[in-house]
Amino acid sequence: MSSGEKIKTTVSVIKADIGSLAGHHVVHPDTIAVASRVLAEAKMKGLLTDYYVTNVGDDLQLIMTHKRGVDDSEIHGLAWQAFKEATKVAKELGLYAAGQDLLSDAFSGNVRGLGPGVAEMEFYERPAEPIIVFMADKTEPGAFNLPMYRIFADPFNTAGLVIDPRLHDGFKFEVFDVYEGREVVFKAPEEIYDMLALIGTPGRFIVRRVRRKIDDEIAAVVSVERLSLIAGQYVGKDDPVAVVRTQSGFPAVGEVLEAFAHPHLVAGWMRGSHHGPLMPVGLRHAKMTRFDGPPRVVALGFNVKNGRLIGPADLFDDVAWDETRRLALMITDYMRRHGPFMPHRLGPDEMEYTTLPQVLEKIKNRFVETGERKAAPPKVKTDLLSHHD
Ligand code: 13P
Ligand code: 13P
Ligand code: MG
Ligand code: MG
């Protein structure tokens, strides 16, 4: 696919929550305006080829194209400047949690690790280069694990894996361990059972890149930033973004979207501490009201031509998703009725904040020893074969 003199295009989606109107529910238009002005100036200077600014819930989304590759300090500096200036406006307007995701002032060439979420990919454009930018609010990066698996490894979702010779060899998944900062690559279909053993724990193991197996061509990228792990405490959820290439050697647009037809349960929602269904919506419904949710995902389709962003098409803004949304809302009711009980509320390890230690401390003198057996939590079995024989 690479042709010597041709220049690669980079798509950089960088997002941050810099404050929102009436709680955590939606970005204020004035902050979108100021971020747009910063990017417009960069386009005039030639740093950016093109850009599109939008929001999903309380997350400000910068969709940018340029020729500088991924992790470029000028592009990251530009995003940082846009977020800083938008934060200034958010503070003037008294917006809620102004500057929420800008965890540090120590910008030194890269926004990774400072709070914003980043999904970037670089490629030689095909004659037609259709991409989809996914943006979710009130959830975490691992929320994309299940759809990425469906899109690139599940023939019941993606017909092309069976019937299109260009997809038939399968894909490679880069899985990132956010606790250990390490990565492992799995081949699909041959290693899907090993891969699922990991990515079924989406709070820890995150699919962050997918490549086509035959030529290593980049197919998808997901932001993996987890704010609470950066800050060491709750500062908001890590509302993720992803970019997926489609058609002609990649799954079709309809195959990519199909992975969102089942509103699967994700972690996030109210106070970043609850499970709820991921509901696909158009931009006009990208605001988080019911119990600060339910978690939502928007899909914008673009064609990239010489770096220009042609579009977007607001892909979930369609009646074809009404039944998915209806199911998501039924699940919303069902989950909500659990109130403070797990598994609606996240387990103690995954909650963004908890009063459990204070409550235990307060009542510690009221516990009485009963003389009954003490027990540690049971160990997880790791050797089933020798068991039950
Ligand atoms: P066309 O033949 O219209 O390009 O459609 C192919 C395809 O990928 C449909 O999903
Ligand atoms: P965000 O992570 O989207 O800011 O949401 C935080 C929250 O507490 C919602 O209830
Ligand atoms: Mg917020
Ligand atoms: Mg958010």
Side-chain angles (χ1 to χ4, degrees):
M1 178 154 292
S2 56
S3 78
E5 314 82 52
K6 247 176 101 182
I7 297 173
K8 282 185 170 179
T9 297
T10 309
V11 177
S12 296
V13 182
I14 306 186
K15 50 79 47 182
D17 178 342
I18 52 84
S20 52
L21 178 64
H24 286 281
H25 109 276
V26 79
V27 168
H28 190 284
D30 289 4
T31 61
I32 295 184
V34 70
S36 301
R37 178 183 46 73
V38 172
L39 299 198
E41 283 167 10
K43 185 176 168 180
M44 276 186 340
K45 286 186 200 141
L47 178 59
L48 290 184
T49 313
D50 209 352
Y51 69 89
Y52 188 82
V53 180
T54 188
N55 76 290
V56 172
D58 62 2
D59 291 283
L60 181 57
Q61 309 281 350
L62 313 179
I63 302 168
M64 302 174 283
T65 52
H66 54 93
K67 299 183 173 64
R68 304 183 62 87
V70 304
D71 282 324
D72 179 75
S73 62
E74 291 210 32
I75 299 299
H76 280 233
L78 175 68
W80 190 252
Q81 186 200 343
F83 292 141
K84 280 292 200 193
E85 295 201 18
T87 298
K88 219 183 291 163
V89 172
K91 286 189 173 153
E92 279 162 24
L93 297 176
L95 298 183
Y96 194 67
Q100 173 180 287
D101 287 359
L102 310 188
L103 302 182
S104 157
D105 265 330
F107 179 78
S108 61
N110 198 304
V111 297
R112 284 183 203 276
L114 298 182
V118 183
E120 296 182 287
M121 57 160 70
E122 189 188 24
F123 49 77
Y124 291 108
E125 287 179 19
R126 298 165 291 164
E129 184 64 57
I131 64 165
I132 303 176
V133 178
F134 289 99
M135 298 161 282
D137 189 25
K138 302 296 178 269
T139 186
E140 61 182 17
F144 284 123
N145 280 8
L146 188 151
M148 286 296 160
Y149 176 80
R150 286 238 167 93
I151 294 164
F152 293 105
D154 180 1
F156 282 73
N157 181 89
T158 299
L161 293 169
V162 178
I163 66 176
D164 183 341
R166 295 166 300 179
L167 272 63
H168 197 83
D169 282 312
F171 289 86
K172 292 197 297 198
F173 289 68
E174 292 178 23
V175 176
F176 183 61
D177 176 349
V178 288
Y179 290 167
E180 299 292 336
R182 57 186 179 172
E183 179 180 280
V184 55
V185 178
F186 290 107
K187 290 181 180 157
E190 55 270 51
E191 296 180 314
I192 56 172
Y193 295 167
D194 287 344
M195 177 164 81
L196 286 167
L198 269 62
I199 67 172
T201 305
R204 173 167 180 184
F205 297 104
I206 304 172
V207 175
R208 75 160 160 193
R209 261 180 227 100
V210 181
R211 294 179 187 278
R212 195 161 53 196
K213 216 194 294 165
I214 38 169
D215 56 4
D216 248 7
E217 191 65 21
I218 187 78
V221 59
V222 179
S223 64
V224 292
E225 284 65 35
R226 288 209 56 193
L227 286 179
S228 47
L229 299 180
I230 296 166
Q233 60 178 14
Y234 176 73
V235 275
K237 213 54 187 176
D238 327 284
D239 307 321
V241 287
V243 184
V244 180
R245 296 172 78 191
T246 72
Q247 304 291 151
S248 310
F250 297 108
V253 166
E255 290 169 332
V256 174
L257 297 179
E258 181 65 13
F260 294 86
H262 167 65
H264 64 293
L265 291 173
V266 298
W269 209 349
M270 174 57 73
R271 298 173 188 272
S273 300
H274 294 81
H275 284 119
L278 186 64
M279 183 165 80
V281 292
L283 280 172
R284 67 200 160 111
H285 293 132
K287 50 188 169 185
M288 311 301 142
T289 53
R290 175 111 192 248
F291 201 54
D292 286 1
R296 293 175 210 213
V297 59
V298 165
L300 294 188
F302 294 93
N303 275 53
V304 183
K305 188 64 183 174
N306 299 325
R308 274 178 69 205
L309 286 165
I310 313 301
D314 190 355
L315 295 163
F316 288 138
D317 188 8
D318 178 48
V319 293
W321 303 94
D322 283 354
E323 290 303 304
T324 301
R325 289 189 276 262
R326 208 169 66 90
L327 178 56
L329 294 175
M330 284 165 64
I331 297 167
T332 295
D333 273 331
Y334 174 84
M335 295 301 281
R336 277 305 301 130
R337 274 180 232 158
H338 293 79
F341 284 81
M342 289 170 61
H344 178 31
R345 200 210 73 198
L346 301 188
D349 296 347
E350 278 292 302
M351 281 170 71
E352 297 290 4
Y353 46 88
T354 177
T355 52
L356 186 62
Q358 288 104 300
V359 173
L360 282 174
E361 177 63 25
K362 188 176 74 183
I363 62 169
K364 68 171 189 248
N365 296 326
R366 292 166 52 192
F367 278 111
V368 287
E369 291 297 338
T370 62
E372 281 159 280
R373 189 173 162 267
K374 295 187 187 186
K379 276 214 248 133
V380 178
K381 280 189 206 111
T382 54
D383 185 12
L384 278 183
L385 290 180
S386 65
H387 196 70
H388 290 313
D389 286 344

